[in-house]
Amino acid sequence: MFSKACEYGIRATIYIASRSRQGERAGIKDICKEIGAPEHFTAKILQNLSRMKIISSVKGPNGGFYLDEGAKNIKLIDVVRAIDGDKLFTGCGLGIKECSETKPCPIHNEFKAIRNSLQQMLERTSLTDLTKDLEKGLVFLKR
Amino acid sequence: MFSKACEYGIRATIYIASRSRQGERAGIKDICKEIGAPEHFTAKILQNLSRMKIISSVKGPNGGFYLDEGAKNIKLIDVVRAIDGDKLFTGCGLGIKECSETKPCPIHNEFKAIRNSLQQMLERTSLTDLTKDLEKGLVFLKR
DNA sequence: ATAATAAAGGATGTTTTTGTCCTTTATAGG
DNA sequence: CCTATAAAGGACAAAAACATCCTTTATTAT
Ligand code: FES
Ligand code: FES
């Protein structure tokens, strides 16, 4: 479904959102330990998200990644789009050159419905929403 | 969503089902021309599907791939499972080691709903179902 | 029998994705 | 200013996915 990069990216940003809500920044080592992801690879992903202004970062002692005030209602779809693009939401399920109503593939209608419900789910879910259950220990970012 | 191999595999088997309904076998060259897929790569995929008894084949002149009588109600999910496995239907959307109710990831419930509706769609759609619209020229397997 | 045909199988090559390592740059604190 | 810290960036490595090529085997028609 999502690429590994995207999976790590989402898990990392959820964790960052949680730490951020507590007024803390999260270091890459810490993040990767908590979400069970490869450190250097995840660092690259967060660098990209940072360049795209999805998340913020500061270097140096007590530095790390965080969500700035305006980014508190970043939605999952923003993270997915930033990492995997929107092929998943606009592309044909059977991989024909383009998904269109006028020249649809055999599963176009059924697939589109599922693709749209995935998109809507990602659009309505913000990182901050997910931190609540995480902090209550009801959901997990690894194992 | 699906791998390239799976996309080609589904498109190829739909085309095979259609030719099969007309009592014909389809050769690999023909298939790949009609669905716009790489010939040698697709040949491998169909060889696998053939070994797994999803489709049938005969060698030699007038040979080719076809659906045998018992395989006429092969569902899309059979093709997907044979090629991509069932990670898509059982795995965690955020890539944690396993998807479980007792240790769910933050999007488990929402994701599971979508994953299930995809699975159900693939379970209720047979290759033969899809050939009707194809033969009417309402849907397409390339471009 | 023989030749032509078409799938099966094995080997190999390319590209993309995933993952690691090392150096550079920015920042904070003494 | 100097040092320690932590992200940024570039280069490289490994694995998986995607794709091609060539030889072998089975089948059909002559
Ligand atoms: S054309 Fe295939 S999903 Fe729209
Ligand atoms: S645990 Fe993530 S989808 Fe079930």
Side-chain angles (χ1 to χ4, degrees), chain B residues 27-28 44 47 50-51 57 60-61 64:
Chain B
I28 187 66
K44 295 284 179 226
Q47 279 168 34
S50 179
R51 240 185 289 122
S57 69

Side-chain angles (χ1 to χ4, degrees), chain A residues 17 36 40 42 54 62 122 124 134:
Chain A
H40 299 286
T42 306
I54 306 282
N62 287 310
L122 296 173
R124 71 172 174 263
L134 187 65

